[in-house]
Amino acid sequence: MGSSEERVVAVIMVGGPTKGTRFRPLSLNIPKPLFPLAGQPMVHHPISACKKIPNLAQIYLVGFYEEREFALYVSSISNELKVPVRYLREDKPHGSAGGLYNFRDLIMEDSPSHIFLLNCDVCCSFPLPEMLEAHRTYGGMGTILVIKVSAESASQFGELVADPDTNELLHYTEKPETFVSDRINCGVYVFTPEIFTAIQDVSSQRKDRANLRRISSFEALQSATSSLNRSLPTDFVRLDQDILSPLAGKKQLYTYETMDFWEQIKTPGMSLKCSGLYLAQFRFTSPHLLAGGDGSKTATIVDDVYIHPSAKVHPTAKIGPNVSISANARIGPGARLICCIILDDVEIMENAVVIHSIVGWKSSIGRWSRVQAEGDYNAKLGVTILGEAVTVEDEVVVVNSIVLPNKTLNVSVQEEIIL
């Protein structure tokens, strides 16, 4: 174990409005990191996991959103967890490693012995204390959380090869065209402060190359494949290509494999799947957040369901599995909800059915209507999404569709995007 004097800082990369385009129409209303999964903002899950790190001194959120968009949340979560949380706005893109380096002076204010780096759009159990313990055992500059996936899906991520005995990272390649390994990078890391030296070295090498180009035309003869790297700003440093790949096999980086769940939250469909994964995790970590009911005095609850205390659910409704109901929602008599996220101020009237769908803020679903999808989380229309203030009138069926905000549907639709 580390000494009690050692302090740890966590940095969570939250991206920005230009990064969340695949999350539309939901990100039209709210920054993607604040979209609720299992009743809690997306970023809440990694933040609450950080709370379990021994000797945690500070949590920083780094991104491109306006500070005012995070001010209220940062204040409330700091008070709730009794841990200082601070939002840091990047002035321009610096890359995944450059963004960390850009705020190095602030991050090092507490003289941390270790720095966690997490991506906000990752859904997992975040075994951070276990990672830290493993990292201290390995030595080296950093430890990467990894998971085994199917060979077919591995190429969508950063693939890596590790020594089976020592867990040293031997080879790393980002989204390779040919199969390298079924172990992938989960986007969760713990580093020593030496990471800042490694990032500075990359930046310095870029500056040296830039100076060399000014006095030499030799690079004009270089292949076009290296032109991308040459055109990158000197302070733009990518963690995967610029740090992980070059340092693999140099006894600097190690891996910690999780046997638990892991997903990347790029689309609304994946947010619904991840909401279910977090609800299932609540059984073990936060059972008090899960609703219960047998239909006698309260609604019938099936498996993992979150209901906000201010929501009103009729006793004859049947809810679950994998349902999250947000603040001030009203669920009418005989309604049936399965695998869905119901956002603030939604009204679902009597005998309506919602399956594999996300119902946006202030929307209403009429009597005997159905809003549903097949539940293919990776397909473009695999989950039905209603944007803010969408009205589905009585006895209307909406299947496998995306509806942008402020629309009224008085006829049934199937496999449509309604602009």
Side-chain angles (χ1 to χ4, degrees):
M1 294 292 289
S3 70
S4 59
E5 290 78 27
E6 287 188 340
R7 310 188 81 187
V8 180
V9 166
V11 178
I12 302 174
M13 309 301 281
V14 298
T18 57
K19 298 281 185 182
T21 53
R22 279 188 282 175
F23 211 69
R24 291 174 184 165
L26 302 175
S27 57
L28 296 173
N29 294 77
I30 191 172
K32 178 182 167 184
L34 299 182
F35 183 81
L37 306 179
Q40 311 287 342
M42 186 186 296
V43 73
H44 179 95
H45 298 282
I47 287 176
S48 57
C50 289
K51 169 75 174 171
K52 298 173 184 172
I53 302 169
N55 306 315
L56 180 70
Q58 177 89 35
I59 299 173
Y60 293 104
L61 310 181
V62 175
F64 301 102
Y65 294 98
E66 296 289 342
E67 289 186 40
R68 59 180 167 76
E69 296 189 81
F70 276 83
L72 193 61
Y73 175 72
V74 164
S75 174
S76 66
I77 195 68
S78 297
N79 291 331
E80 179 186 331
L81 296 183
K82 304 291 185 285
V83 173
V85 179
R86 182 174 176 185
Y87 178 72
L88 303 174
R89 185 171 187 262
E90 289 191 79
D91 57 341
K92 62 177 183 177
H94 292 94
S96 46
L100 188 70
Y101 187 77
N102 187 45
F103 295 109
R104 63 194 178 282
D105 293 339
L106 275 173
I107 293 167
M108 291 306 297
E109 264 183 2
D110 291 294
S111 302
S113 61
H114 295 88
I115 300 153
F116 273 92
L117 179 64
L118 300 84
N119 284 296
C120 173
D121 64 353
V122 162
C123 166
C124 68
S125 59
F126 295 106
L128 307 183
E130 296 86 345
M131 273 186 78
L132 183 58
E133 200 57 42
H135 175 74
R136 286 182 170 133
T137 304
Y138 300 149
M141 185 181 73
T143 296
I144 308 167
L145 186 68
V146 307
I147 193 169
K148 182 178 180 179
V149 297
S150 68
E152 299 79 47
S153 64
S155 62
Q156 302 169 38
F157 309 100
E159 295 182 27
L160 52 90
V161 178
D163 185 300
D165 299 318
T166 65
N167 292 318
E168 184 197 347
L169 180 70
L170 300 177
H171 179 72
Y172 183 90
T173 181
E174 184 69 16
K175 298 178 182 175
E177 292 183 9
T178 55
F179 178 74
V180 173
S181 167
D182 57 4
R183 261 61 175 190
I184 64 164
N185 176 3
C186 290
V188 178
Y189 316 85
V190 58
F191 294 110
T192 63
E194 292 168 12
I195 183 66
F196 293 122
T197 306
I199 298 170
Q200 175 150 29
D201 287 348
V202 172
S203 189
S204 298
Q205 287 167 14
R206 286 234 180 94
K207 284 176 184 168
D208 291 344
R209 284 200 297 270
N211 290 334
L212 188 62
R213 284 201 304 276
R214 290 191 191 101
I215 59 174
S216 168
S217 59
F218 172 75
E219 288 211 14
L221 304 174
Q222 298 299 297
S223 68
T225 55
S226 64
S227 63
L228 176 63
N229 286 336
R230 292 205 310 272
S231 64
L232 287 172
T234 55
D235 59 352
F236 188 94
V237 183
R238 303 158 299 181
L239 189 61
D240 35 31
Q241 293 104 315
D242 298 327
I243 302 294
L244 303 184
S245 293
L247 290 180
K250 296 182 178 176
K251 302 198 183 308
Q252 289 286 304
L253 300 171
Y254 293 81
T255 62
Y256 180 84
E257 185 167 347
T258 177
M259 302 297 174
D260 229 327
F261 64 91
W262 181 87
E263 295 288 350
Q264 209 173 11
I265 316 165
K266 293 295 186 187
T267 62
M270 286 308 300
S271 75
L272 182 54
K273 180 177 184 178
C274 292
S275 188
L277 290 171
Y278 280 136
L279 285 170
Q281 189 186 30
F282 283 173
R283 275 184 249 166
F284 309 101
T285 61
S286 310
H288 63 282
L289 292 176
L290 294 175
D294 58 6
S296 54
K297 293 183 178 179
T298 59
T300 301
I301 302 298
V302 181
D303 293 338
D304 305 317
V305 171
Y306 169 84
I307 300 176
H308 191 276
S310 66
K312 291 181 171 56
V313 181
H314 196 274
T316 60
K318 188 173 183 180
I319 314 294
N322 180 16
V323 173
S324 173
I325 300 175
S326 296
N328 301 311
R330 300 174 304 287
I331 313 299
R336 182 69 177 104
L337 274 55
I338 301 170
C339 294
C340 57
I341 295 174
I342 309 299
L343 295 167
D344 295 357
D345 303 305
V346 164
E347 182 172 16
I348 296 176
M349 298 184 193
E350 62 191 73
N351 299 311
V353 176
V354 181
I355 304 173
H356 295 306
S357 301
I358 299 174
V359 182
W361 307 265
K362 302 184 180 69
S363 292
S364 66
I365 298 175
R367 298 169 182 84
W368 294 100
S369 288
R370 295 179 71 92
V371 175
Q372 65 186 67
E374 294 172 357
D376 181 348
Y377 299 117
N378 292 307
K380 186 174 184 180
L381 297 176
V383 169
T384 288
I385 300 155
L386 305 186
E388 183 184 31
V390 169
T391 300
V392 178
E393 295 192 349
D394 295 352
E395 300 179 28
V396 169
V397 179
V398 183
V399 180
N400 294 348
S401 295
I402 296 174
V403 184
L404 266 65
N406 304 303
K407 297 291 182 291
T408 296
L409 300 183
N410 51 19
V411 294
S412 297
V413 296
Q414 180 169 350
E415 294 185 355
E416 287 192 40
I417 298 175
I418 298 174
L419 303 174

